């Protein structure tokens, strides 16, 4: 449980990792008048932020705000309210870097994909770690420029589920972005997104819109989500719905008509987003950098092994993704066939 904290009308935030999530939130916080320090390892990105500011492109056109920006080695302030927005595979290094620099009464909120709160807590202390779930559609499209691809859900909560003043203050400040809210069940949202995330990961095996791939390959998507939800259930997590994803529809044994209706809603929602391909696809096809998905699902597979829950599709999905990532296998529709029926793999 956190120590109480009174937040004024304007606060100071350090955003570590100014990618899609960090850049979007940093922009809206700065635009609302908060003081924002950005820390990022991308020197070109930092240089652009210093020279031209942080630009957000979206439905309302292009807007730019000023933010302080630095690389980690040149940090010039003591972080107190930290939004950790780095890729999952960079979490340990970022938390190790933060631990000796964080203010004594400071805290770190994990605004990332995956299950990173425990790792952060090991480095900076559980009492200084805040959980969060975020589902933003955005991409960094140039140094200093973030493309807003559509709004999603954002919830924040203490690791033990208790209410706190720091969470209330953070939610109030993040209202500058959109409908952020507090929750007593962060883990329920994170596990729901991991289930939904298997669908998005599968769409990165082909070069096609997410909505279309999920719609055409419904049985595969149902089976993938069900595997992760079975693990979450075995772990004792109560899954939470978010945006257009209803986890109850994808639990093992859920009625078929419920799944179909839920997927109709999900597909229609995805089709309405300006961003039609996943960040995973973009990392492989555009940015040519390692994806973070393997780190997301490592604890899921470990939990599955502990509980004896079979996750064969998840394992095959990650194998195929690694092959696409390395260039050994091209992005192609046949990958989805191979995923569902691996008897005759094709490359």
């Amino acid at each position: 449980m956190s120590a109480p904290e009174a937040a004024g009308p304007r606060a100071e935030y350090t955003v570590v990792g100014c990618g899609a999530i960090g850049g979007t939130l940093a922009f809206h916080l700065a635009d609302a008048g908060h003081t924002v320090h950005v820390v990022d390892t991308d020197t070109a990105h930092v240089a652009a932020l210093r020279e031209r500011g942080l630009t957000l492109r979206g439905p309302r056109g292009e807007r730019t705000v000023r933010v302080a920006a630095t690389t980690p080695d040149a940090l010039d302030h003591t972080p107190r309210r930290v939004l950790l927005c780095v890729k999952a595979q960079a979490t340990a290094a970022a938390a190790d870097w933060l631990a000796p620099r964080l203010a004594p009464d400071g805290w770190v909120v994990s605004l990332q994909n995956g299950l990173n709160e425990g790792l952060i807590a090991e480095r900076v202390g559980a009492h200084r770690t805040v959980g969060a779930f975020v589902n933003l559609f955005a991409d960094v499209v140039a140094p200093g420029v973030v493309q807003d691809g559509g709004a999603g859900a954002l919830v924040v909560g203490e690791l033990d589920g208790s209410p706190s003043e720091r969470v209330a203050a953070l939610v109030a400040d993040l209202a500058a972005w959109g409908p952020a809210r507090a929750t007593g069940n962060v883990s329920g949202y994170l596990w729901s997104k991991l289930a939904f995330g298997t669908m998005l990961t599968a769409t990165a095996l082909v070069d096609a819109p997410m909505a279309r791939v999920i719609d055409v390959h419904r049985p595969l998507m149902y089976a993938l989500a069900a595997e992760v939800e079975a693990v979450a259930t075995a772990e004792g997590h109560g899954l939470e719905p978010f945006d257009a994803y209803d986890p109850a529809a994808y639990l093992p044994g859920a009625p078929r008509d419920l799944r179909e209706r839920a997927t109709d809603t999900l597909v229609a929602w995805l089709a309405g987003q300006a961003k039609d391909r996943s960040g995973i696809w973009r990392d492989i096809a555009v940015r040519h950098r390692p994806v973070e998905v393997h780190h997301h699902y490592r604890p899921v597979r470990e939990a599955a092994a502990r509980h004896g829950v079979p996750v064969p599709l998840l394992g095959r999905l990650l194998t195929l993704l690694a092959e696409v990532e390395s260039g050994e296998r091209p992005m192609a529709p046949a990958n989805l066939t191979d995923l569902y029926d691996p008897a005759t793999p094709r490359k």
Side-chain angles (χ1 to χ4, degrees):
M1 187 172 179
S2 69
E5 172 181 290
R10 293 294 179 265
E12 184 175 8
Y13 285 95
T14 301
V15 178
V16 179
C18 191
I21 294 172
T24 300
L25 298 180
F27 175 90
H28 287 288
L29 287 169
D31 193 46
H34 299 288
T35 299
V36 176
H37 302 271
V38 167
V39 182
D40 201 283
T41 58
D42 186 331
T43 55
H45 195 38
V46 168
L49 292 171
R50 286 176 170 172
E51 181 180 349
R52 299 186 295 274
L54 174 57
T55 298
L56 185 72
R57 294 175 183 168
R60 292 192 288 170
E62 185 173 292
R63 294 183 294 151
T64 300
V65 297
R66 303 302 303 185
V67 296
T70 183
T71 51
D73 60 310
L75 185 73
D76 56 2
H77 71 286
T78 300
R80 182 166 178 256
R81 298 178 182 88
V82 178
L83 308 187
L84 185 60
C85 305
V86 300
K87 293 286 188 179
Q89 62 265 38
T91 303
D96 283 339
W97 174 82
L98 272 168
R101 294 169 173 84
L102 192 61
D105 62 344
W107 43 265
V108 179
V109 55
S110 172
L111 284 154
Q112 304 168 270
N113 293 314
L115 304 170
N116 304 298
E117 283 79 359
L119 190 153
I120 297 167
E122 290 175 0
R123 268 70 176 184
V124 305
H127 65 292
R128 301 207 291 176
T129 304
V130 180
F133 159 83
V134 58
N135 192 43
L136 302 187
F137 289 77
D139 291 305
V140 174
V141 294
V145 182
V146 176
Q147 178 74 47
D148 183 0
L154 195 161
V155 295
V156 183
E158 297 291 349
L159 300 188
D160 63 2
S162 62
S164 73
E165 291 186 19
R166 68 181 176 188
V167 165
L170 177 59
V171 167
D173 290 345
L174 289 175
W177 161 81
R181 18 187 216 94
T183 181
N185 184 25
V186 169
S187 63
Y189 285 96
L190 294 175
W191 278 88
S192 285
K193 188 173 183 183
L194 285 167
F196 174 45
T198 60
M199 299 186 188
L200 300 185
T201 301
T203 70
L205 297 177
V206 298
D207 185 6
M210 296 179 287
R212 185 191 309 162
V213 176
I214 291 172
D215 194 22
V216 171
H217 296 276
R218 291 191 180 206
L220 173 60
M221 302 300 166
Y222 299 161
L224 282 167
E227 284 191 356
V228 174
E229 293 198 6
V231 179
T233 301
E235 284 277 281
H237 298 293
L239 297 171
E240 297 278 2
F242 66 91
D243 294 328
Y245 184 76
D246 178 8
Y250 303 100
L251 287 167
R256 179 177 178 179
D257 61 337
L258 176 62
R259 287 199 306 270
E260 295 296 331
R261 289 196 306 272
T263 308
D264 289 343
T265 300
L266 182 63
V267 166
W269 180 73
L270 284 170
Q273 300 295 324
K275 177 176 174 174
D276 69 352
R277 285 164 172 76
S278 71
I280 307 160
W281 175 91
R282 185 175 181 82
D283 278 346
I284 296 172
V286 178
R287 306 200 72 176
H288 309 294
R289 67 180 185 182
V291 301
E292 59 179 340
V293 170
H294 304 286
H295 297 266
H296 295 166
Y297 291 101
R298 185 173 297 123
V300 175
R301 298 177 78 180
E302 291 171 353
R306 285 197 305 272
H307 295 285
V309 177
V311 288
L313 267 181
L314 177 60
R316 288 204 295 274
L317 171 61
L318 296 176
T319 296
L320 292 180
L321 185 70
E323 292 174 358
V324 170
E325 195 178 0
S326 69
E328 180 183 353
R329 174 186 290 266
M331 284 185 177
N335 293 335
L336 295 171
T337 304
D338 293 347
L339 172 57
Y340 206 52
D341 181 8
T344 310
R346 292 159 288 183
K347 294 184 181 178

